[in-house]
Amino acid sequence: QLQLVESGGGLVQPGGSLRLSCAASGSTLDYYAIGWFRQAPGQEPEGGWSRQPGMEREGVICISDSGGPRTYRDSVKGRFTISRDNAKNTVYLQMNSLKPEDTAVYFCAAAAYCSDYMFAYEFDYWGQGTQVTVSS
């Protein structure tokens, strides 16, 4: 069974950069789309379906099995980049020009494809999350 482990989080000043990694084991990532979600402190779920555990996480960016990226949040466009290295069974999230509002726990997750809306329920496998704090 596919297992995902995130790393690379930490405390960074506004304007700084971090690179998160999502390492897979138990199976190859080759046939999965990988998405990055985030959950900010006190974030309220939206919609009835999102009140299930984990559904309040915000889909940020996704990469298909063929390497095509899709960004779902205008607030991160031009700042966040997703990439994958199938040889290393790892997906990366490069975050530049970080802002305090980017503070959240970041989760990677695997799905069959990157949908138009990147709902959390579309993803079958999840990592445990890594904390990103942007503060001076």
Side-chain angles (χ1 to χ4, degrees):
Q1 183 171 347
L2 183 66
Q3 296 180 324
L4 303 173
V5 177
E6 303 93 337
S7 62
L11 173 64
V12 63
Q13 292 186 343
S17 297
L18 282 175
R19 189 177 78 157
L20 306 184
S21 298
C22 174
S25 62
S27 180
T28 177
L29 280 181
D30 291 7
Y31 306 111
Y32 289 97
I34 302 297
W36 284 95
F37 290 78
R38 64 187 181 185
Q39 183 173 353
Q43 183 175 345
E44 293 293 327
E46 296 182 358
W49 58 266
S50 64
R51 291 190 179 275
Q52 301 174 40
M55 295 299 105
E56 63 274 20
R57 297 167 186 172
E58 176 181 82
V60 179
I61 195 167
C62 185
I63 189 166
S64 69
D65 58 349
S66 61
R70 294 186 69 171
T71 304
Y72 295 81
R73 299 295 165 196
D74 289 343
S75 62
V76 308
K77 287 182 179 178
R79 300 190 298 123
F80 287 16
T81 304
I82 191 170
S83 62
R84 65 190 299 153
D85 186 340
N86 286 351
K88 295 183 178 180
N89 229 20
T90 301
V91 171
Y92 303 99
L93 177 63
Q94 179 67 44
M95 305 186 294
N96 298 327
S97 303
L98 283 162
K99 305 176 181 180
E101 52 263 42
D102 294 319
T103 295
V105 178
Y106 283 72
F107 300 85
C108 66
Y113 59 94
C114 299
S115 71
D116 289 342
Y117 299 101
M118 197 176 169
F119 290 129
Y121 65 76
E122 297 171 330
F123 289 74
D124 299 315
Y125 303 98
W126 290 81
Q128 82 290 347
T130 185
Q131 176 71 49
V132 171
T133 302
V134 185
S135 175
S136 56

